[in-house]
């Protein structure tokens, strides 16, 4: 049956929430957009006049599409070149979704998205539906085709895994900005010691180049190893300029609700470095340099005003 204008409008009213849900489930904005579009095609093919609660129907269809995608994605990531990291979203991207509560903000943080990759697909779905969108267990059970008791068990297991992987405590945005600025000053000083002082003893650094940009296949671990890597990352070099197509401008910004550094060349985002900052120092650096995962960031970057870069390292 052909959709009426009202049917289309009902779907469009749900699109932002569906996109935010799909992104949290998949860790990829591109795959999330595809899942939302496939959900629209299912809506288009359905007898929508017999659907009592369109929002619930659409959420169930989208969630199960994402579960199927997660299952196949695990197989694909076994052959992924190097480390796989989520696609970062810059501040203001509508796919970040609701951010009214601490739970909603944390559910889309880059650190938590990385941790969600360790969960089984249904654990991830229950965690996102409950923590980020506040669905009651009764509705989660209906969406996933499980019992309420099973949903509660999956949620508590997922929340435990996420809590175990999180760093110690949080810092406010102003303090995080100061740490980012201190880090950039230290990273360009040419010395390792100032960097080490900013890091936790067990700091890690991991990057995703997708086989298209050089990136170490194993994470750097420990303050000294991470500091040496970061010092080298920001040191001058003709090869680096050739790799990114020019001299990148470095900006302190926000991605996935947390402190981040953007490297851009002529308005094109060539890297996003997400920092995990705790009261004890910087606990993790996660850099996304795979160009396939930076198209949306580039579009979002172009839509805003960012001023002059803090500096150009090379």
């Amino acid at each position: 049956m052909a959709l009426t204008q009202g049917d289309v409008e009902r779907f469009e009213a749900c699109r932002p929430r569906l996109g935010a849900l799909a992104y949290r489930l998949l860790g990829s904005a591109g795959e999330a957009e595809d899942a939302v579009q496939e959900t629209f095609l299912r809506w288009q093919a359905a007898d929508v006049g017999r659907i009592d609660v369109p929002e619930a129907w659409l959420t169930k269809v989208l969630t199960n599409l994402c579960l199927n995608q997660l299952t196949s994605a695990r197989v694909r990531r076994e052959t992924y070149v190097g480390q796989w990291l989520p696609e970062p979203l810059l501040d203001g991207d509508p796919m970040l979704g609701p951010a009214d509560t601490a739970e909603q903000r944390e559910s889309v943080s880059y650190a938590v998205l990385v941790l969600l990759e360790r969960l089984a697909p249904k654990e991830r779905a229950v965690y996102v539906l409950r923590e980020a969108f506040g669905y009651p267990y009764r509705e989660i059970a209906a969406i996933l085709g499980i019992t309420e008791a099973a949903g509660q068990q999956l949620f508590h297991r997922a929340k435990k895994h996420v809590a175990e992987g999180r760093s110690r405590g949080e810092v406010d945005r102003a303090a995080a900005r100061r740490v980012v600025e201190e880090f950039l000053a230290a990273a360009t000083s040419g010395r390792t010691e100032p960097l080490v002082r900013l890091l936790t003893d067990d700091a890690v650094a991991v990057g995703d180049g997708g086989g298209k940009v050089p990136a170490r296949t194993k994470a750097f671990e420990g303050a000294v190893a991470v500091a040496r890597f970061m010092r080298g990352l920001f040191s001058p070099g003709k090869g680096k300029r050739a790799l990114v197509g020019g001299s990148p401008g470095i900006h302190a910004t926000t991605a996935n609700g947390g402190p981040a550094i953007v490297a851009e060349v002529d308005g094109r985002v060539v890297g996003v470095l997400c920092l995990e900052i705790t009261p004890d120092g910087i606990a993790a650096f996660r850099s996304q340099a795979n160009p396939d995962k930076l198209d949306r960031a580039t579009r979002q970057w172009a839509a805003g005003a960012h001023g002059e870069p803090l500096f150009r390292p090379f």
Side-chain angles (χ1 to χ4, degrees):
M1 296 177 64
L3 295 179
T4 66
Q5 183 62 32
D7 295 332
V8 174
E9 289 174 354
R10 275 193 289 179
F11 180 87
E12 291 303 323
C14 293
R15 184 184 288 275
R17 183 178 58 83
L18 294 174
L21 172 59
Y23 173 69
R24 284 166 168 81
L25 289 174
L26 299 173
S28 165
E31 291 179 1
E33 289 175 334
D34 291 343
V36 172
Q37 184 58 28
E38 179 61 29
T39 301
F40 175 73
L41 295 177
R42 302 287 180 94
W43 174 250
Q44 195 173 38
D47 185 356
V48 297
R50 302 183 64 179
I51 297 174
D52 294 329
V53 186
E55 293 79 6
W57 187 92
L58 291 169
T59 300
K60 181 172 184 176
V61 169
L62 176 88
T63 301
N64 284 284
L65 285 170
C66 289
L67 285 176
N68 292 337
Q69 182 76 3
L70 282 172
T71 302
S72 62
R74 290 190 171 221
V75 175
R76 293 198 310 275
R77 287 170 194 170
E78 290 177 0
T79 59
Y80 191 82
V81 180
Q83 298 277 348
W84 188 97
L85 290 175
E87 181 178 346
L89 297 183
L90 301 183
D91 197 25
D93 192 309
M95 199 171 276
L96 289 170
D100 299 325
T101 67
E103 291 79 11
Q104 289 173 337
R105 292 189 293 273
E106 184 176 64
S107 71
V108 79
S109 72
Y110 208 66
V112 166
L113 287 179
V114 171
L115 291 171
L116 292 181
E117 287 295 311
R118 304 178 187 178
L119 303 181
K122 279 194 175 179
E123 286 180 336
R124 183 168 184 163
V126 171
Y127 181 87
V128 170
L129 287 167
R130 179 72 178 170
E131 194 80 346
F133 294 89
Y135 278 87
Y137 289 113
R138 174 178 52 80
E139 292 185 29
I140 291 174
I143 289 170
L144 299 178
I146 58 177
T147 65
E148 288 187 46
Q152 291 175 347
Q153 186 178 34
L154 286 169
F155 175 73
H156 291 303
R157 189 187 307 158
K159 192 163 186 177
K160 181 182 178 182
H161 288 325
V162 171
E164 288 173 348
R166 296 286 284 132
S167 294
R168 295 80 53 198
E170 301 291 334
V171 296
D172 62 51
R173 181 169 290 195
R177 173 72 183 221
R178 288 194 298 273
V179 173
V180 171
E181 292 173 348
E182 289 175 11
F183 160 72
L184 289 173
T188 55
S189 70
R191 298 166 53 227
T192 302
E193 294 78 8
L195 278 168
V196 172
R197 288 196 292 270
L198 292 173
L199 309 179
T200 61
D201 292 340
D202 57 353
V204 297
V206 59
D208 180 347
K212 299 184 177 184
V213 174
R216 181 181 164 97
T217 56
K218 292 183 65 177
F220 290 91
E221 298 181 352
V224 174
V226 171
R228 288 172 177 166
F229 168 67
M230 286 296 162
R231 185 188 66 186
L233 184 66
F234 286 93
S235 63
K238 292 182 179 179
K240 294 176 183 177
R241 284 196 297 272
L243 181 66
V244 299
S247 180
I250 302 299
H251 302 257
T253 185
T254 303
N256 291 78
I261 295 166
V262 162
E264 55 81 22
V265 176
D266 297 328
R268 174 174 56 90
V269 175
V270 296
V272 178
L273 179 63
C274 296
L275 287 72
E276 187 173 356
I277 300 177
T278 75
D280 299 321
I282 304 173
F285 298 91
R286 299 180 177 93
S287 58
Q288 184 56 260
N290 183 346
D292 293 341
K293 298 183 182 181
L294 294 173
D295 283 344
R296 187 179 180 96
T298 293
R299 295 196 300 272
Q300 188 70 18
W301 188 259
H306 308 284
E308 291 298 312
L310 296 175
F311 64 93
R312 295 185 182 275
F314 47 81

